[in-house]
Amino acid sequence: MEKEVLHQIVLSGIYFLQEESLLEELLEFQENINRKIDSLFKKENFACEKGCFFCCIGWEVKGIIPEVLLFIRELNALEEKKRVKIYEKLQEYKDIPNKENIPCPFLESGLCVAYSGRPFVCRTYSSYDKALCEKKETFQFPDIIGKALDIVKEEVSLVESPFNTLFETKIPLTQISFDKTNKYFYLNLGETAYIYPLKNKTNIQAGLYSQKYLR
Ligand code: SF4
C-alpha cells in the first residue's frame, strides 16, 4: 500500500476514534449506494437466483473499505458458533496456494453468509445465461454494470479527504480479522483503529499506534 494511502487511512481511523458518528455516517452512506445498485439490478431479467453460486468459486473477493465494514457487520450478526466456524474456514482458505476451484470461504450450503453486505463485485456479477457461468466461459458483462459504476462514481465524488481514500482502497475479504476473545470479526484500520461493526452500534477501539497520533 502506498505511503500516502496508508496515511489517509490512518487519519480516517483517528477521526473515527474522536467522533464515532462519522463512522456510522460512512456506513449509512455505503448502504445507500448498495440500495441504489440493488434497485437498478432488480429491473433486469438475469438468470441469477438464490442457491446459484458458480460465481462464488475460484477467486478472492475484494471490496473497498466501507463495503468490507458492512460485510463484517453481517458476519457479526451471525451466532457465535457460526462466526467461529467461518473464522476457521477463512484460516484454511488463506493457506490454499491455488484457489482456482475453491469456493469462497463465506459460502455455506450454496449461500453467502453475509449476502446483504456483499461488496460491489459480488452484488453486480450477473449473467443472462447460467450455463456460461457453469462452464466458466467468459462472457460480456451486462451494460447495466457500467450504470452501477456511474452511480458509485457520482456518490463517491461527494466524499471529502481523507475519507475518500476509504472508497478508493480495495482490500481482500481475507484481510478481515477475528478477535478470539470476544469472537467478533473486526477490521484493523492501519493499526490505529480496530473497528467491530455490529448491528446495533459499531464498536471502535484504539489501535497500537493511536496514542502516537492522539497526543
Ligand atoms: S462474498 Fe459472498 S457473494 Fe461474494 S463470492 Fe463470497 S460467498 Fe459469494
Side-chain angles (χ1 to χ4, degrees):
M1 196 176 281
E2 279 174 42
K3 212 172 158 191
E4 182 54 24
V5 171
L6 188 60
H7 177 73
Q8 300 290 75
I9 289 175
V10 162
L11 211 56
S12 303
I14 297 300
Y15 282 128
F16 292 149
L17 282 170
Q18 290 172 329
E19 182 56 67
E20 283 187 20
S21 63
L22 281 173
L23 181 60
E24 294 301 333
E25 261 181 57
L26 174 114
L27 294 180
E28 273 172 35
F29 187 81
Q30 182 60 50
E31 268 188 317
N32 185 44
I33 296 178
N34 290 353
R35 271 195 295 271
K36 285 189 175 181
I37 296 171
D38 289 348
S39 73
L40 178 73
F41 275 66
K42 234 182 241 169
K43 296 171 198 152
E44 282 292 304
N45 199 15
F46 288 123
C48 310
E49 59 185 354
K50 195 171 179 180
C52 176
F53 54 89
F54 295 121
C55 62
C56 297
I57 298 174
W59 57 303
E60 214 171 323
V61 175
K62 285 183 181 173
I64 52 169
I65 291 173
E67 287 179 325
V68 174
L69 288 170
L70 284 184
F71 191 82
I72 300 176
R73 194 165 76 179
E74 295 304 317
L75 292 178
N76 283 341
L78 301 168
E79 58 178 38
E80 185 179 300
K81 229 167 104 183
K82 205 160 179 184
R83 296 198 299 271
V84 174
K85 210 173 131 196
I86 294 167
Y87 161 67
E88 288 166 358
K89 211 165 146 191
L90 186 58
Q91 293 307 102
E92 281 169 24
Y93 179 83
K94 285 193 214 174
D95 291 337
I96 301 172
N98 180 2
K99 298 180 172 62
E100 208 179 322
N101 291 309
I102 307 295
C104 171
F106 301 104
L107 188 70
E108 199 186 276
S109 310
L111 299 173
C112 175
V113 290
Y115 185 77
S116 52
R118 69 204 186 288
F120 183 90
V121 68
C122 306
R123 198 169 283 276
T124 61
Y125 196 106
S126 316
S127 164
Y128 294 108
D129 187 350
K130 215 170 162 178
L132 292 179
C133 305
E134 188 173 6
K135 285 185 258 162
K136 282 186 176 285
E137 276 185 30
T138 44
F139 57 88
Q140 198 180 340
F141 287 128
D143 295 343
I144 203 170
I145 294 184
K147 287 188 196 156
L149 275 171
D150 289 342
I151 291 178
V152 176
K153 272 188 214 152
E154 197 185 320
E155 293 287 332
V156 172
S157 68
L158 306 170
V159 183
E160 291 176 6
S161 172
F163 307 109
N164 57 340
T165 305
L166 303 180
F167 289 86
E168 289 157 9
T169 310
K170 276 191 186 166
I171 54 171
L173 294 183
T174 47
Q175 264 188 34
I176 292 173
S177 308
F178 187 71
D179 187 326
K180 286 186 189 159
T181 314
N182 61 21
K183 315 254 187 319
Y184 279 110
F185 290 95
Y186 67 98
L187 187 70
N188 174 351
L189 212 58
E191 295 294 355
T192 310
Y194 303 146
I195 304 174
Y196 295 71
L198 303 170
K199 281 278 183 194
N200 43 3
K201 196 182 180 306
T202 293
N203 173 2
I204 172 161
Q205 292 180 14
L208 274 180
Y209 302 139
S210 57
Q211 287 314 317
K212 184 175 148 191
Y213 297 95
L214 285 172
R215 243 182 260 140

